[in-house]
Amino acid sequence: MEIRIYNDTEDREAVKDLWQRVFGYQDARNEPGFVIDLKLSRQDGLFFIARESQNLLGTIMAGYDGHRGWIYSLGVDPNSRLKGVGTALLRRAEQALSDLGCVKINLQIMDYNGRVQEFYRKNGYAAEPRISMGKEISHNIPSRDFQKEGK
């Protein structure tokens, strides 16, 4: 297995397909092509993929604001789960954030997803007494319905 920085020319279609299968995105703000474009516009080198031969095994994105890091889009192909792919991707992102001087890494997961919670617990993460709040900025979200377009 090779873990490397995402390459748009080589990886885009496979990542879009994986994310749609793994995450089942239902709204335009999470449309895979849109998310990839936003991440690439940051040019931060914090988007990694795991491949074996020509097969995409998984992805992870990280973000860093100069103090805290964030983990996003850790997704592993269902046929590659429980083989260390997710942990290897997480370690790669954690190392990249550490190398930047990050002092704490955060992530968000759905409260009903016990399997994912257990994965992160096994990797040293713990639930914190926080309330996650969010606000959409609708004028920055694509208006097209990507589900109806077959993406």
Side-chain angles (χ1 to χ4, degrees):
M1 173 177 58
E2 171 193 25
I3 296 179
R4 64 170 170 75
I5 293 176
Y6 171 89
N7 178 302
D8 197 50
T9 304
E10 297 174 21
D11 304 322
R12 177 177 281 263
E13 292 308 312
V15 169
K16 286 170 53 176
D17 176 65
L18 176 74
W19 285 356
Q20 196 61 52
R21 287 184 291 118
V22 170
F23 302 128
Y25 292 131
Q26 298 297 315
D27 57 63
R29 75 172 185 266
N30 290 322
E31 188 275 318
F34 177 65
V35 173
I36 290 169
D37 290 343
L38 287 175
K39 183 60 175 168
L40 294 180
S41 73
R42 302 298 169 248
Q43 299 180 0
D44 61 8
L46 295 173
F47 186 0
F48 304 99
I49 63 139
R51 277 199 179 269
E52 190 168 74
S53 189
Q54 295 301 314
N55 299 319
L56 179 67
L57 306 178
T59 67
I60 193 168
M61 290 194 303
Y64 182 59
D65 65 12
H67 180 63
R68 287 192 174 94
W70 283 87
I71 298 295
Y72 307 92
S73 303
L74 174 53
V76 176
D77 183 278
N79 295 322
S80 298
R81 290 184 182 154
L82 303 175
K83 297 178 181 177
V85 176
T87 298
L89 283 162
L90 184 59
R91 295 287 175 263
R92 179 67 167 89
E94 289 172 338
Q95 186 61 57
L97 290 168
S98 176
D99 291 347
L100 292 170
C102 180
V103 298
K104 184 173 188 284
I105 300 173
N106 295 324
L107 55 87
Q108 294 178 322
I109 54 178
M110 300 302 219
D111 63 351
Y112 58 80
N113 200 334
R115 185 177 49 94
V116 172
Q117 290 177 42
E118 185 58 29
F119 167 80
Y120 283 111
R121 279 189 194 98
K122 287 180 180 178
N123 282 283
Y125 290 77
E128 298 177 324
R130 309 281 188 272
I131 295 173
S132 179
M133 297 176 74
K135 178 181 178 180
E136 286 187 359
I137 302 175
S138 59
H139 66 267
N140 287 332
I141 299 171
S143 60
R144 62 189 164 89
D145 183 346
F146 74 96
Q147 290 292 330
K148 290 182 182 172
E149 293 177 13
K151 299 202 179 199

